[in-house]
Structures are given as structure tokens and as C-alpha cells.
Amino acid sequence: MERNISNFDEYKKEYAKSISNPEQFWEEKAANFTWKKKWDKVLSWDFTKPEIKWFEGGELNITENCLDRHLEKRGEQTAIKWIANKPNEQSRNLSYKELHSEVCEFANVLKNNGAKKGDRICLYMPMVPELAIAVLACARIGAIHSVVFAGFSAKSLSDRINDATCNILITADGGFRGAKITPLKDISDEAMKSTPSIEKCIVLERTKSRISMQSGRDIWWKEEIKKVNADCPIEIMDAEDPLFILYTSGSTGKPKGIQHSTAGYMIYTEYSFRNVFQYNEGDIYWCTADIGWITGHSYIVYGPLLAGATTMMFEGVPSYPNAGRFWKIVEENKVNIFYTAPTAIRALEAKGLDFVKPYDLSSLKVLGTVGEPINEDAWHWYDKEIGNGNCPIVDTWWQTETGGIMISNLAGVTPSKPTFATLPLPGIQPCLVDEKGEEIKGNSVEGRLCMKFPWPSMARTIYGDHKRFKETYFSTFKNKYFTGDGALRDENGMYRITGRVDDVLIVSGHNLGTAEIESAMDEHENVCETAIVGFPHPIKGNGVYAYVICHNTPKNEDALKKEINDLVTKNVGPIAKADKIQFVSGLPKTRSGKIMRRILRKIAEGDTQNLGDTSTLLDPAVVEEIKSSAQ
Ligand code: PRX
């Protein structure tokens, strides 16, 4: 394993070098991996197109770097330590050798079923080792994986399959989640009614639920595995060949298929994993995310395996069988590094210390958070009650689009500050800009967060829609990647992320597009128009607040609210359900017809006094009505 940055001075030197000579800096990191052919050029880029290429001409396979490369030295070491949803179910440890062989076997299953390099394969699976195996098997044969979080609805699944024209769907009969079973195959069946590109559906047996199998299309994982051996040479990939697509919400209803490429993603996830978490040989690392999100891709699967780490995977939820589950798992597995989301911390804090105190958490060395700003109270609780005051907390800011952690302290190496993501990682060049796109220099300033230079793991495009990629990220501010977040930089140059400045809502750490929820609600026959905004929520960070205009005055408001939320569950997924629905007769609009969400946000926050400038409103009376009936 490469040596990690070990003190603040070293960080400063490393950072300075990464800025003065980025190509040399990343070339040195790249040299630690196994390549089939060395690259011709480290970097070429043009943000106006945008076109970004790292290690052009290089050839490799990421799974050779995650698996084969480690076999000699750490073949017997646990690669994946899997913890089942049910506390009494046997956990599973897969050594690097075992993981390698299971990945090769399943890669052969994919090949037997017609999968080829460049195909898109959709994964809709529970958090079981086979999900990681399937991800890596795709990468081994050069197929592009598109993992869809198993909480998404049939409609979301079919939209994503169709957008990428996937030819294979990998799913399970069902998934265990707390006391519930998610009927993954039934949902897949519903989705596959409208996905003409799917030729094969490979089904893993997990819950032994009764399901139907369509002959010719649906096949069992366990039957297919019997037909293959574990010999599967790697597919040789170009450095810039796509590795995966992962959908994230945007400001229009259609989700964006964020596409990542191979070599840059590999180098950056490994480097950021080791340095942010200060991973050392033998540490047990646990990220509680789901592989359906970018955090799971980069910091359960790829980053840790590339670094030869032991990575844990948990099938269940933090509240099952009770709110002590995380801490019990930490104790039983002597977890050293623990990475979770602020929403989970707040939910567990709310349950009280009786669920924490019984457990020995002394194995913990490093704590981390991701996905949304962490509030001060939750930060201190995490620090004191979980870290016992002596575990550095890394507050890691990044995005699906960035592929890896961008702004974060390095555990115990660079300074931390509650609620601040702090400093950029080496190679990352953030800046703040004003509304006109002028860079705001100096410290103690606030603005919109942009990146002015490429980094290896940045997204290369939106699948099938490069124009939207350019418009969303590279057109708002000239020659800069715009993150969509606002941030402030304190007197020491440390960054604090203040939240989204666009129409994306972060609810329980999940990215939701307000437009996506609105169009789901608009499907109701009595719904005429909707506007979704966020409001502060003690556990979720943001709650979903819906303003709804009906065609006819509802006879039973509660029944209509339920029907509206059922549509959201069906079209988007239960995480997007509105916490509050307010029926209104009109929405505050400008003369040009744009909804003034700023006003709606204020009212949803309960602040009806400081609505700011309302002079551009077409009909100010609407605001008065909304204020008086606000919840
Ligand atoms: O608003 C920021 C917030 O989450 C957004 C990215 O969401 P997603 O693509 O789903 O990726 C989440 C996991 C990497 C960002 O634009 N966000 C993420 N991490 C933080 C954060 N906000 C504040 N602090 C963080 N540490």
C-alpha cells in the first residue's frame, strides 16, 4: 500500500505540487497501478466542450487492480465482510481470493448470456455480496453497470433501463430491509413490461419469496453459476472507456445518467479513500451507504478494494431490530473506520443513549459523514458519544458527478472544524463565484461553489445527452464546473457547504429533483399544478413540502393527500413522499410565469414575515392566502 499523507505540512506540500504540476502529480499516483499499456498523455481538457481525458492511450482493467493485483500478497485477507439484515443470520467473509473467483464466475455467466464490452447492464439488488460481485463482473468484461437503488419504484427502474437501453437486468427475488421484504422481482416484472431492450433477467435467490419467472427471459443466478468456471481473463479497456452510469436527480423531471470512466476514477477513488480515512493495513472499514448510491460505488466497492482494504457491507437498516444496531455491529466486528450520513446520526441521536451505552466502541479510530451538511448538534453528539472525543470526524463533501471526495479534512492529519468540510484534497481546485461568475477571492467570503480545473474522477458526460451535461455543469459559469452548491470560505480558507442553490433537494442525504416529484403529483386527475420546496426537518435535514392546486376542491383532504403520495411512491419511490401537503388556489408567480420558490420556501420554513422582494409578483394576494393557510 502506498504511504498516506501523514501531517499537515505534508498535505500542504502535496497540495502545492498538485496545483503547480497536476500532470506529474497524478502520473506518480497512476504508476502504482497495473496497466496493460502505459498512457500517452496524462491530461487533455476543454471545459467549453466539455471534454476531459485522463491517461489517454493507457489500457487496463479496474478489476485487475481491485482483485488480481492483491492475490499474491493478500489472497487470504478478507476483502468484503458482509453483515446480514437479521441479527442472527450468519455473516459472510469473502477473502480477496474468493471474491476474485466469484467475480470471474459471474463474469462468465454474463458472457454466456450474451453480454459484451460496452453493453449496459442494470443492477437492481439488495445489499448482498452478490451486488458487489455483479458490479465487478460487469467491469471485468467491460460492460457498463447501472446500479439502481433498490428503493426505487418500477417506473423509476424502467425509465433508467430505457434511458441506457440495458440488455440485461440483474435482480433478486426480494430484499430484506429491517422487518420488511422488498419484492424486487415483482417490481422488476412491472418495470420490464415497458423495457423492450431487456433480453435477460438474472435472478438471485435471497428471500425465497414466491415469484414468477418468464421462460426464455428470466434465469436463476444459482443455475447459471453451475455452468461456468472461475477462469475469466480481463477485458482490456481504454483509460477513458466508460466504467459505469449512475442516475442522479436534476432540475428537470428526467434523471441524469452520470457517466464515469475507468482510469481516472480508479486512481482518484483509491487515493482519496486512503488519505481521507487514513486507512492502514489491517483496519476494518465500514461505510453504511447503499451501493445504489455513489458513496457505495466509490467507498464500499472500488476505493477500498483498490487499496486492498477490508470493506464491510451491511444489508439492513440502522433501526432494526433497534437503534443500537450500528453500534452492536461496530462492537462485534471491531470496526476502526465508520462512515455514515448525518440523517442516520440525527435519527439515532433522537433515540437516546440507551442504545449506545451498552456497546464497546473503543475500536473506532476515525468517523466520517457524507451526503448533506451536518448540523453542529449532530456533529458534537457523534464526536462525544460515538467517538468518545478522540476520533477525528471527516466531513466529506462530494457528489455523484465528482466520483470521489473533493473537500474534506484528512482524518487526524489536517484540521477539522464542526460543520465545515474544510480543505480541498490535493488535485482539487475549488473556487467561489458571484452571480455573474466572477471569482470571489480572499477569505471570509460566500458564493457559489465551482471547480476551475479537472480532476481524474470527474464525470465525463450524461449518458446520451452531452448537451445537457454541458448546460447543467459548464454553462452557468464560463470555464468552470458548477457544483450547484453554495459555500462559504472562512478566515482560514476552510469551506463550509451551505446547501443547494438549484432545484435539487437533499432529503435524508438523497438527491431528489423537485421537478420529478412535481410531475409524479401532477399525474393525479384532480391535481392541476404543484410546487415542491424543502423545509428544515429535524431528522431528514430537509423535508418535502408540496403546494398543490386542485381542479376541484377536495372533499376529503386527507384521502387526497394519501393518493398524491401514493403516486410519488409509485413514480419516484417512498423516499420522495411529501411530509406536508398544502392545498392552495394559486402559486406566487412572476409576470413571466416563473414560480417564486424563494417565497414558498420561506413560508414552508414558517417564516412568513421576511418574504423579501415581492414586487415582481403577478398576484400578491396569492401569497396572503398561502400564508394564512400554511401548516
Ligand atoms: O449538496 C451537496 C450534498 O449532496 C450533494 C450531492 O449529492 P449526491 O450526488 O447524491 O452525492 C451524495 C454523496 C456524495 C452535494 O451537491 N453534500 C454531499 N456531501 C456533503 C453535502 N453537503 C454538505 N456537506 C457534505 N459533506
Side-chain angles (χ1 to χ4, degrees):
M1 202 187 286
E2 262 296 276
R3 210 174 72 79
N4 297 335
I5 299 171
S6 63
N7 59 58
F8 195 26
D9 274 345
E10 217 179 295
Y11 160 80
K12 287 185 206 154
K13 278 197 201 115
E14 184 104 337
Y15 188 79
K17 186 171 160 194
S18 78
I19 306 304
S20 61
N21 198 343
E23 301 192 12
Q24 191 197 344
F25 178 83
W26 288 116
E27 189 156 42
E28 281 171 21
K29 310 294 167 217
N32 299 318
F33 293 86
T34 303
W35 296 79
K36 286 293 162 209
K37 175 175 168 283
K38 202 183 163 194
W39 53 92
D40 303 318
K41 191 163 194 276
V42 179
L43 170 65
S44 57
W45 66 291
D46 178 352
F47 275 0
T48 61
K49 286 189 177 155
E51 189 176 77
I52 301 108
K53 289 185 180 157
W54 284 93
F55 302 100
E56 226 178 326
E59 291 179 353
L60 74 162
N61 186 291
I62 196 168
T63 69
E64 179 172 39
N65 284 283
C66 288
L67 302 169
D68 308 53
R69 174 168 81 111
H70 298 312
L71 292 182
E72 203 178 313
K73 189 175 163 216
R74 54 178 94 243
E76 305 305 324
Q77 181 197 313
T78 302
I80 296 181
K81 203 172 176 51
W82 174 76
I83 312 291
N85 174 65
K86 286 194 195 119
N88 54 2
E89 189 181 333
Q90 185 65 43
S91 63
R92 233 181 114 187
N93 288 346
L94 282 145
S95 67
Y96 271 92
K97 213 160 118 198
E98 287 163 336
L99 182 61
H100 174 263
S101 110
E102 297 215 15
V103 167
C104 288
E105 281 177 5
F106 193 66
N108 283 332
V109 167
L110 292 174
K111 281 202 222 164
N112 274 353
N113 284 286
K116 310 175 299 299
K117 176 174 179 175
D119 285 354
R120 278 80 54 216
I121 297 184
C122 181
L123 284 70
Y124 185 65
M125 294 181 75
M127 276 289 284
V128 289
E130 287 80 359
L131 170 52
I133 290 166
V135 160
L136 294 164
C138 288
R140 190 146 189 105
I141 64 165
I144 302 168
H145 54 80
S146 166
V147 184
V148 176
F149 172 60
F152 276 123
S153 67
K155 168 99 180 14
S156 300
L157 176 60
S158 63
D159 284 351
R160 286 157 173 76
I161 290 173
N162 289 332
D163 185 72
T165 53
C166 299
N167 54 352
I168 297 179
L169 171 64
I170 308 169
T171 188
D173 50 355
F176 291 117
R177 249 182 101 72
K180 290 192 206 139
I181 289 182
T182 317
L184 296 175
K185 179 61 167 61
D186 293 350
I187 300 171
S188 297
D189 288 343
E190 181 63 30
M192 283 189 288
K193 284 183 188 160
S194 56
T195 56
S197 58
I198 292 288
E199 288 159 14
K200 286 280 159 63
C201 174
I202 304 176
V203 185
L204 177 80
E205 186 179 66
R206 173 65 188 128
T207 53
K208 298 199 164 60
S209 308
R210 277 190 54 178
I211 56 165
S212 62
M213 297 286 279
Q214 183 178 306
S215 119
R217 184 194 66 186
D218 302 349
I219 48 181
W220 286 103
W221 179 302
K222 61 180 178 193
E223 299 302 328
E224 295 300 302
I225 277 288
K226 289 184 195 154
K227 303 178 192 165
V228 296
N229 63 25
D231 181 18
C232 180
I234 55 163
E235 183 75 37
I236 294 179
M237 307 298 286
D238 285 341
E240 277 298 326
D241 274 340
L243 175 63
F244 66 86
I245 301 168
L246 186 60
Y247 286 85
T248 189
S249 299
S251 48
T252 70
K254 197 170 176 272
K256 300 171 285 194
I258 300 299
Q259 185 176 308
H260 283 283
S261 69
T262 305
Y265 178 83
M266 172 181 81
I267 292 160
Y268 194 78
T269 52
E270 193 268 354
Y271 177 75
S272 52
F273 168 74
R274 275 191 296 104
N275 282 291
V276 169
F277 299 106
Q278 290 289 300
Y279 187 88
N280 285 309
E281 202 69 58
D283 283 345
I284 307 286
Y285 161 85
W286 182 21
C287 164
T288 70
D290 192 290
I291 293 178
W293 309 113
I294 191 69
T295 309
H297 280 61
S298 302
Y299 298 111
I300 294 179
V301 182
Y302 287 113
L305 295 178
L306 286 162
T310 296
T311 176
M312 275 177 52
M313 224 181 129
F314 175 43
E315 184 186 34
V317 293
S319 55
Y320 177 80
N322 62 47
R325 187 68 197 278
F326 273 2
W327 319 129
K328 187 165 192 284
I329 295 175
V330 168
E331 176 183 274
E332 286 174 354
N333 296 280
K334 302 205 168 27
V335 173
N336 305 115
I337 305 171
F338 179 74
Y339 188 32
T340 197
T343 186
I345 299 168
R346 289 191 297 265
L348 297 177
E349 179 185 359
K351 297 283 179 192
L353 287 175
D354 288 352
F355 291 102
V356 182
K357 290 291 175 213
Y359 303 106
D360 175 6
L361 304 180
S362 60
S363 59
L364 289 172
K365 295 193 294 194
V366 172
L367 301 174
T369 74
V370 60
E372 57 187 309
I374 180 163
N375 49 306
E376 189 127 17
D377 176 66
W379 194 99
H380 286 294
W381 186 83
Y382 198 30
D383 176 44
K384 176 163 175 265
E385 307 300 347
I386 306 303
N388 197 23
N390 54 31
C391 298
I393 299 176
V394 288
D395 180 347
T396 65
W397 175 86
W398 57 297
Q399 307 178 296
T400 305
E401 296 85 343
T402 68
I405 298 169
M406 302 285 282
I407 305 184
S408 171
N409 47 320
L410 311 182
V413 167
T414 63
S416 75
K417 180 171 173 180
T419 79
F420 278 69
T422 72
L423 299 171
L425 263 66
I428 305 305
Q429 300 192 34
C431 64
L432 298 177
V433 299
D434 65 17
E435 271 149 50
K436 295 196 197 81
E438 291 298 320
E439 187 174 341
I440 308 168
K441 301 245 164 114
N443 286 339
S444 304
V445 288
E446 190 166 355
R448 282 143 208 255
L449 182 63
C450 293
M451 299 293 148
K452 41 185 184 180
F453 195 83
W455 62 100
S457 66
M458 71 188 295
R460 301 297 194 262
T461 192
I462 291 176
Y463 185 81
D465 199 348
H466 198 65
K467 186 163 163 274
R468 188 174 179 197
F469 185 61
K470 178 176 170 172
E471 277 164 12
T472 312
Y473 305 107
F474 297 91
S475 299
T476 321
F477 303 114
K478 203 168 157 250
N479 244 338
K480 292 186 180 68
Y481 165 85
F482 177 43
T483 64
D485 282 336
L488 60 83
R489 192 166 52 221
D490 77 0
E491 63 285 3
N492 298 314
M494 292 205 189
Y495 287 89
R496 176 189 183 150
I497 312 302
T498 48
R500 301 290 308 188
V501 293
D502 58 8
D503 292 336
V504 174
L505 265 185
I506 312 276
V507 176
S508 297
H510 300 313
N511 246 1
L512 300 173
T514 50
E516 215 176 335
I517 310 175
E518 285 161 5
S519 63
M521 292 186 170
D522 291 349
E523 268 190 19
H524 194 283
E525 57 181 9
N526 195 17
V527 171
C528 168
E529 193 178 1
T530 48
I532 301 291
V533 296
F535 71 99
H537 187 284
I539 306 289
K540 297 181 181 187
N542 285 301
V544 176
Y545 196 116
Y547 296 91
V548 176
I549 306 177
C550 295
H551 291 291
N552 304 307
T553 313
K555 290 194 187 72
N556 180 339
E557 286 201 355
D558 286 341
L560 180 57
K561 283 181 185 173
K562 183 171 179 305
E563 286 166 22
I564 289 174
N565 263 337
D566 286 348
L567 277 171
V568 175
T569 303
K570 178 171 154 264
N571 285 312
V572 188
I575 46 175
K577 278 198 294 194
D579 298 280
K580 291 184 185 174
I581 297 179
Q582 181 182 351
F583 295 109
V584 295
S585 68
L587 291 167
K589 290 190 179 170
T590 61
R591 286 182 185 83
S592 58
K594 204 169 171 295
I595 297 173
M596 292 187 71
R597 286 171 196 277
R598 178 174 54 78
I599 293 179
L600 294 175
R601 267 194 292 268
K602 282 278 182 199
I603 298 173
E605 279 166 21
D607 180 3
T608 52
Q609 299 307 311
N610 305 302
L611 296 184
D613 180 17
T614 54
S615 61
T616 54
L617 273 180
L618 183 65
D619 178 11
V622 163
V623 176
E624 292 310 311
E625 183 220 295
I626 298 178
K627 268 163 60 176
S628 63
S629 64
Q631 306 186 345

